[in-house]
Amino acid sequence: MNTFTIITALITISALISYINNRFIKLPGTIGVIVVSLLLSLLILFTGKIFPDAYAFIKELTSSIDFTQTLLDIMLGFLLFASALQFDFQKLKEQRYPVLVLSTVGVIGSTFIFGYLLYWATGMLNVELPLLYCLLFGALISPTDPVAVMSVLKKSKVPSSLETIIGGESLLNDGTGILLFVILKELAASADAHVSFSHTVALFSQEVFGGILLGVISGLVAYRTMKRVDDFQIIVMVSLSMVMVISVTGAMLHVSIPLAAVSAGLILGNTSLGTKQSEDMQRYFHNVWHLIDELLNTILFVMIGLQIVLMPFLKNYWLTGLFAVAFVLVARALSIYLPSLLLKKSLKTTYKGITILVWAGLRGGISVALAMSLPESPYKEIILSGSYFVVLFSIIVQGLTLKRVVNRMVAA
């Protein structure tokens, strides 16, 4: 299946699913999209023998898409730039301490808590999954997904301070998650692999600081270019080009593309383009990127829903998947509560605040993409299946009930 056919099919299916959700099911935006696409995938699986052509087409379509590369190397830069563009840097600065702690200490703590809990559970279930792979699972599932989080936060009424913490954490915890994932992946790839402290520091510096530096430079260059023109078409093209350059350059330099996109988005979203641009033009610029964000979000969640056609092994690991869902919530609660003891003034240590932070920590396509990037091993299927269980529960159950949880906590 050629590239144009894939794009045509994805956009057409996305439009159809969005129409069905908007016209009949009426669930909130992206949540409704993933629910309908999931139901469509299950219908195709169950009726595969009755409608073999439809099953074959969807299977060929999903097989033709490199989900990991498409999301991490192409779509994610656009999605995170669009999200960061709308983010208030001043609010982020006010909540910098809890955001930094949760995006570093919180992710590390959650990884190890989840890993050891899963190792204990798989031992009881007589499922073979070494501790190193349990920790690897924890590393890819612990960071909250900025795409899923930001799409749900837009529709919720989370208190302003907590919304900033949740959104800021999701935008910045990528560096810690990638560092842990890469290190554990190297250890899992070879029993003789040795990761020294100096190697860890170098890898962290390259991924995190390299990504931030790339984003700052790209953002400043784009800002100075856009400031000197008053043509809206040029402004939009410069911003699109900048995100593409970040994606290509980030992949070549092996630095964090998400952190680079976030850095550039924060710069362009919190600076004025100057006197040549009217307020209307700046508002149109943000609206264009909001539209791009919504379109790509829809396509991404359709892709997540359709991927289940390629995962017939989900039924083999449903019990492990349920344990993974529970352990993710426990690990997140503990990884928030323990650091919050050191940040009593900055981070709400009340039951209400922790409950909202835990329930709003959604996982999404990034976790699935990282799981798919794992090298072939006897343990890849169980990690990929478990990731899918967590992501579906996170987006559908947590996403649909977040508003209710927030209202109950605020009213209590």
Side-chain angles (χ1 to χ4, degrees):
M1 191 174 292
N2 61 52
T3 303
F4 184 72
T5 302
I6 293 173
I7 295 174
T8 302
L10 273 179
I11 293 179
T12 302
I13 293 173
S14 298
L16 176 62
I17 288 175
S18 298
Y19 173 80
I20 293 173
N21 177 59
N22 181 271
R23 184 71 177 82
F24 303 105
I25 300 180
K26 301 184 183 301
L27 287 174
T30 51
I31 298 175
V33 167
I34 197 170
V35 169
V36 177
S37 59
L38 181 63
L39 292 175
L40 176 62
S41 297
L42 292 174
L43 178 64
I44 290 172
L45 281 174
F46 289 131
T47 61
K49 294 182 180 180
I50 302 176
F51 304 104
D53 291 339
Y55 175 77
F57 176 78
I58 294 297
K59 188 170 184 179
E60 183 183 359
L61 173 63
T62 51
S63 300
S64 301
I65 302 171
D66 187 332
F67 187 81
T68 301
Q69 183 181 21
T70 302
L71 174 56
L72 298 182
D73 294 341
I74 301 174
M75 296 179 68
L76 194 57
F78 289 95
L79 289 166
L80 292 185
F81 174 78
S83 297
L85 195 67
Q86 314 294 330
F87 212 85
D88 190 329
F89 181 75
Q90 188 58 41
K91 291 183 179 179
L92 181 62
K93 187 177 179 180
E94 293 173 0
Q95 302 292 341
R96 61 188 180 277
Y97 294 120
V99 168
L100 288 175
V101 170
L102 290 180
S103 61
T104 53
V105 177
V107 173
I108 295 172
S110 177
T111 296
F112 282 90
I113 294 169
F114 175 89
Y116 277 98
L117 286 174
L118 185 64
Y119 183 64
W120 167 78
T122 52
M124 290 188 62
L125 296 172
N126 293 319
V127 176
E128 183 183 358
L129 190 63
L131 177 59
L132 183 58
Y133 281 87
C134 290
L135 294 174
L136 186 60
F137 189 178
L140 65 88
I141 207 67
S142 289
T144 55
D145 187 291
V147 178
V149 169
M150 300 304 286
S151 65
V152 172
L153 282 181
K154 295 172 185 175
K155 311 295 182 182
S156 66
K157 295 182 179 180
V158 176
S160 179
S161 59
L162 289 178
E163 181 179 357
T164 301
I165 293 173
I166 296 166
E169 175 202 1
S170 69
L171 288 172
L172 299 177
N173 62 16
D174 170 76
T176 307
I178 286 181
L179 173 65
L180 286 173
F181 180 77
V182 171
I183 291 174
L184 293 171
K185 186 178 177 181
E186 288 183 3
L187 290 173
S190 172
D192 301 325
H194 175 68
V195 181
S196 64
F197 177 75
S198 59
H199 175 72
T200 302
V201 172
L203 185 61
F204 181 85
S205 300
Q206 179 178 338
E207 285 281 352
V208 178
F209 297 115
I212 293 174
L213 181 61
L214 173 61
V216 169
I217 293 174
S218 301
L220 290 176
V221 171
Y223 168 69
R224 291 185 177 277
T225 303
M226 294 160 65
K227 190 177 180 180
R228 288 173 167 79
V229 297
D230 56 5
D231 188 301
F232 183 67
Q233 177 181 329
I234 297 175
I235 291 173
V236 173
M237 289 180 65
V238 168
S239 64
L240 289 170
S241 172
M242 181 202 66
V243 176
M244 293 177 181
V245 168
I246 284 176
S247 298
V248 173
T249 307
M252 291 174 57
L253 299 179
H254 301 289
V255 301
S256 175
I257 296 173
L259 286 179
V262 168
S263 301
L266 288 174
I267 289 174
L268 291 182
N270 291 272
T271 52
S272 173
L273 294 178
T275 57
K276 289 187 177 182
Q277 276 74 34
S278 65
E279 291 184 4
D280 287 342
M281 188 175 292
Q282 294 195 50
R283 186 169 63 253
Y284 294 153
F285 174 71
H286 282 262
N287 289 341
V288 166
W289 274 101
H290 178 72
L291 177 61
I292 293 173
D293 183 33
E294 292 293 329
L295 290 174
L296 291 181
N297 260 311
T298 300
I299 294 172
L300 171 59
F301 282 96
V302 167
M303 289 169 58
I304 293 174
L306 294 180
Q307 284 293 318
I308 200 171
V309 174
L310 300 179
M311 298 185 184
F313 48 82
L314 283 175
K315 63 180 182 294
N316 300 324
Y317 303 110
W318 64 269
L319 188 56
T320 307
L322 293 179
F323 273 108
V325 169
F327 293 157
V328 162
L329 296 175
V330 172
R332 177 157 176 83
L334 291 175
S335 66
I336 290 173
Y337 177 73
L338 296 177
S340 72
L341 296 177
L342 303 175
L343 296 166
K344 291 182 179 180
K345 293 183 179 180
S346 300
L347 183 61
K348 306 298 183 183
T349 57
T350 63
Y351 167 76
K352 300 177 185 178
I354 292 177
T355 301
I356 293 174
L357 286 169
V358 170
W359 208 246
L362 307 184
R363 275 71 181 180
I366 295 177
S367 295
V368 175
L370 290 176
M372 286 182 170
S373 73
L374 290 171
E376 294 300 325
S377 73
Y379 316 112
K380 180 176 180 178
E381 281 194 359
I382 189 171
I383 293 176
L384 183 55
S385 296
S387 301
Y388 225 76
F389 272 99
V390 173
V391 168
L392 292 179
F393 176 87
S394 176
I395 295 175
I396 297 174
V397 178
Q398 291 177 239
L400 284 176
T401 58
L402 178 59
K403 184 177 179 180
R404 187 179 302 172
V405 170
V406 170
N407 291 340
R408 179 171 296 181
M409 291 299 105
V410 172

